[in-house]
Amino acid sequence: MAEMQTTLTFKRGLTVKNRLVMAPMTTKMSFYDGVVTQDEIDYYALHSGEVGMVITGAANIQANGKGWEGELGVEADYQIPNLAKLAAAIKKNGTKAILQIFHAGRMTDRSVLRGELPVSASAVAAQRAGAETPRELSEIEIQQVIENFKQATLRAIKAGFDGVELHGANTYLLQQFFSPHSNRRTDQWGGDRQKRFRLIEKVVQVVTQEVAESGAENFIVGYRFSPEEIETPGIRFEDTLYLVDQLSELALDYLHVSLSQFDRIAQSPDYHERPMIAYLQAKIAGRVPLIAVGNVQTKADITTLLQIADLAAVGQSLLIDPHFVAKIFNDQEELIRRKLNRYDLDELKIGNGVMSFLEQMMPERII
Ligand SMILES: Cc1cc2nc3c(=O)[nH]c(=O)nc-3n(C[C@H](O)[C@H](O)[C@H](O)COP(=O)(O)O)c2cc1C
């Protein structure tokens, strides 16, 4: 069991000052070309400083990996100067800055891609209203994706970030390769579980090797994943235990499980006795630290979470109250702001895009 105010040192030497992490949350505030805006820098500066580390919202590694408007970009060198300002703004009071990097795969559309068809492991549409059937990536394009994860990591190093998080969760491209729903390939990148894991393995290997060769000191690499899919066929908890077992053997500094409720029980009847994070920790068996997330609102939630996982990521609670962490540490829970309305946006530096998303997805947080 970890105490929330204790430090943690990752394998590559980076030390975080406490066990709280700002969960990756897109701001939808970047320029059309992925360049960080001043609004975004102000937003992160306001929300940083108290948590041990901030993981940014997802940044796309190549043009056809863009998932939505206002998303961060890390696909070209012209984006580095403002990424450097973002990293510097986050690194306040010793907080560490982690850039989340990803490719959206089929979870985007032609309008975001300016007329281009989305790509994925296979030409299978996602199960959601209006989803376009993507184009299957060719062998050369897969090699390019791997190369672009590497280049994005190099840019993060140049911009002064403390690490990158490979976004393999929330149904984006890396997850699409692991999923039997979106990956129907019969070449070396598809087939059984081991083959569907191959792209993830390759990306982790190439990125971690690049970090080693770059000479960057204390620069960490994490991996985020989602434990279950609702589609049939789809990723089952059993598959995820295989995934974390494999990932624990690679040169990663942390694993990060994406959950809407941190102590959720698996859908699979074989794993109903304990929350998913308990099974995950048992499988990881101390090989790499685990971050868990999902509806953390109180000190009691954090204590319960840290009885199992090593770090607690906080999303909306921190978005709505930038001083959530200080109030928790100072036993001032009654002062935490728990809901917001449109008049709070200027003060909290939250954009209209995120507010609309919250109104739609989390109406219980809005007054
Ligand atoms: C506004 C918003 C934006 C998000 N953007 C991302 C993102 O860019 N990458 C990601 O991995 N998860 C993203 N998430 C998911 C969060 O990281 C987190 O897993 C989820 O909100 C559950 O944690 P919470 O209950 O503490 O908010 C986002 C969530 C919200 C509310």
Side-chain angles (χ1 to χ4, degrees):
M1 147 141 204
E3 291 291 333
M4 62 182 96
Q5 295 201 58
T6 55
T7 61
L8 184 144
T9 301
F10 295 101
K11 279 180 203 151
R12 288 189 178 76
L14 188 79
T15 299
V16 281
K17 62 181 179 174
N18 62 49
R19 301 301 178 106
L20 295 183
V21 174
M22 180 165 167
M25 285 181 288
T26 184
T27 65
K28 300 195 173 185
M29 288 197 289
S30 300
F31 285 117
Y32 72 95
D33 56 358
V35 170
V36 176
T37 60
Q38 188 58 44
D39 284 349
E40 210 157 20
I41 293 168
D42 294 344
Y43 160 88
Y44 277 104
L46 177 70
H47 290 84
S48 189
E50 296 171 9
V51 279
M53 69 186 199
V54 168
I55 304 169
T56 68
N60 56 293
I61 56 147
Q62 61 186 66
N64 68 4
K66 182 169 176 170
W68 54 86
E69 302 295 348
E71 184 183 284
L72 283 169
V74 62
E75 82 259 37
D77 288 349
Y78 70 79
Q79 294 159 335
I80 295 176
N82 281 23
L83 283 169
K85 290 183 192 168
L86 177 61
I90 294 173
K91 287 158 81 168
K92 190 167 98 178
N93 293 337
T95 295
K96 304 301 180 191
I98 310 300
L99 184 71
Q100 188 184 59
I101 60 176
F102 94 130
H103 186 302
R106 67 181 184 177
M107 295 303 283
T108 183
D109 57 50
R110 274 180 213 256
S111 120
V112 173
L113 300 185
R114 308 293 184 264
E116 257 195 70
L117 192 64
V119 296
S120 185
S122 299
V124 180
Q127 275 181 18
R128 63 185 166 109
E132 289 171 347
T133 302
R135 181 174 65 74
E136 177 175 306
L137 284 165
S138 69
E139 174 67 32
I140 291 174
E141 287 175 314
I142 292 174
Q143 297 298 342
Q144 198 60 54
V145 167
I146 298 166
E147 173 66 20
N148 287 337
F149 268 104
K150 176 171 126 181
Q151 294 300 331
T153 303
L154 266 180
R155 291 188 191 102
I157 293 171
K158 284 188 188 149
F161 280 91
D162 296 300
V164 288
E165 177 173 280
L166 305 172
H167 190 2
N170 305 356
T171 73
Y172 297 118
L173 188 72
L174 291 176
Q175 182 175 333
Q176 287 163 33
F177 268 79
F178 190 56
S179 167
H181 186 271
S182 36
N183 186 345
R184 313 280 172 105
R185 301 179 75 98
T186 51
D187 60 4
Q188 59 161 329
W189 306 104
D192 61 15
R193 201 151 66 179
Q194 197 183 343
K195 285 183 157 178
R196 283 184 277 110
F197 174 66
R198 186 175 295 218
L199 179 68
I200 296 172
E201 183 178 34
K202 202 82 200 145
V203 168
V204 173
Q205 280 169 348
V206 166
V207 163
T208 51
Q209 194 179 331
E210 188 62 25
V211 170
E213 286 169 10
S214 74
E217 278 179 25
N218 303 337
F219 186 91
I220 64 170
V221 182
Y223 191 91
R224 191 173 217 218
F225 62 94
S226 294
E228 291 182 308
E229 288 181 339
I230 48 169
E231 293 89 353
T232 301
I235 295 171
R236 299 293 174 256
F237 193 57
E238 179 88 30
D239 299 310
T240 295
L241 291 174
Y242 168 85
L243 177 82
V244 302
D245 192 33
Q246 299 297 312
L247 290 173
S248 299
E249 289 298 309
L250 301 178
L252 287 164
D253 290 278
Y254 70 82
L255 301 183
H256 183 177
V257 59
S258 177
L259 292 164
S260 56
Q261 178 63 40
F262 70 87
D263 53 3
R264 220 166 91 192
I265 306 282
Q267 291 173 53
S268 161
D270 296 339
Y271 301 96
H272 271 182
E273 278 176 18
R274 294 182 285 164
M276 281 188 271
I277 52 174
Y279 289 106
L280 293 170
Q281 272 297 48
K283 181 56 83 179
I284 293 168
R287 287 177 284 177
V288 59
L290 176 69
I291 305 180
V293 69
N295 200 25
V296 169
Q297 297 208 29
T298 62
K299 191 170 195 165
D301 290 339
I302 297 167
T303 308
T304 309
L305 185 154
L306 289 178
Q307 272 165 8
I308 303 174
D310 302 283
L311 294 139
V314 184
Q316 292 159 76
S317 294
L318 193 48
L319 186 86
I320 294 170
D321 191 335
H323 298 296
F324 174 82
V325 174
K327 290 172 187 172
I328 292 280
F329 286 172
N330 296 330
D331 285 324
Q332 293 175 308
E333 275 191 85
E334 71 286 359
L335 299 183
I336 293 174
R337 181 194 330 221
R338 303 212 173 265
K339 295 189 182 217
L340 82 165
N341 65 40
R342 285 205 169 255
Y343 301 111
D344 300 326
L345 297 191
D346 279 355
E347 181 204 336
L348 296 174
K349 318 256 183 226
I350 298 173
N352 284 322
V354 164
M355 187 61 181
S356 303
F357 175 77
L358 292 174
E359 281 173 336
Q360 233 185 333
M361 306 294 292
M362 292 93 183
E364 67 282 1
R365 296 277 198 167
I366 312 292
I367 36 174

